[in-house]
Amino acid sequence: MALSVKVITPDKTVWDDQVEEAILPSTTGQLGILSGHAPLLTALEIGVLRVRPGKEWKAIALMGGFAEVENNEIKILVNGAELGDNIDLDAARSEYQAAQSRLEQVGTSDDRQDKIQAESSMKKARARFQASGGTV
């Protein structure tokens, strides 16, 4: 029996298909979901959702949100999402390296707001880079 997975952002549905299994980037760590999973509501971290519709895994960069698992359905509501296949690997690598540099620059700063923004940018860039096939 397959799982129905929907990834919904404020402006579109990024994924709506059947999968054999999914791995969610929960705020408490990676969370694997198979058919027959117990009902669950969890917060999602900025990270990579991995789904397996067949033999191959697909990656989707998620920008934080929530997931509900119930009756072999996973509904994922996020601030933003992007299919890994649609992300340019070289551009994502450049964004990731720039975000790393920015985070290192503000590491010595006393401005808390700058640090929070740099950390958020780093998480987003890392998620996009990993979803596009890059390794960190």
Side-chain angles (χ1 to χ4, degrees):
M1 183 182 287
L3 293 164
S4 172
V5 177
K6 286 186 182 182
V7 178
I8 304 165
T9 68
D11 59 339
K12 65 183 173 182
T13 299
V14 175
W15 180 274
D16 185 0
D17 205 351
Q18 301 288 314
V19 303
E20 295 300 315
E21 63 183 300
I23 301 174
L24 300 169
S26 164
T27 55
T28 58
Q30 299 293 309
L31 184 61
I33 308 291
L34 297 169
S35 64
H37 197 284
L40 170 75
L41 181 63
T42 186
L44 298 176
E45 184 65 66
I46 295 170
V48 179
L49 164 69
R50 300 198 186 278
V51 293
R52 188 173 59 84
K55 293 188 185 279
E56 299 292 319
W57 286 91
K58 300 281 185 185
I60 304 169
L62 301 181
M63 301 304 151
F66 296 92
E68 177 186 37
V69 179
E70 190 172 38
N71 298 326
N72 290 323
E73 290 184 350
I74 305 174
K75 295 178 194 134
I76 301 169
L77 304 173
V78 290
N79 298 321
E82 195 171 358
L83 291 172
D85 294 342
N86 295 343
I87 301 171
D88 179 82
L89 177 61
D90 292 329
R93 180 181 291 115
S94 295
E95 290 170 18
Y96 176 64
Q97 290 169 343
Q100 277 183 314
S101 296
R102 173 79 175 121
L103 186 60
E104 289 170 8
Q105 288 174 354
V106 301
T108 59
S109 170
D110 290 334
D111 189 345
R112 189 165 181 251
Q113 185 70 23
D114 277 351
K115 287 181 182 180
I116 291 169
Q117 288 176 346
E119 287 173 5
S120 177
S121 294
M122 174 66 172
K123 287 179 183 179
K124 290 176 183 177
R126 182 177 53 224
R128 291 187 77 248
F129 180 51
Q130 288 177 325
S132 68
T135 56
V136 178

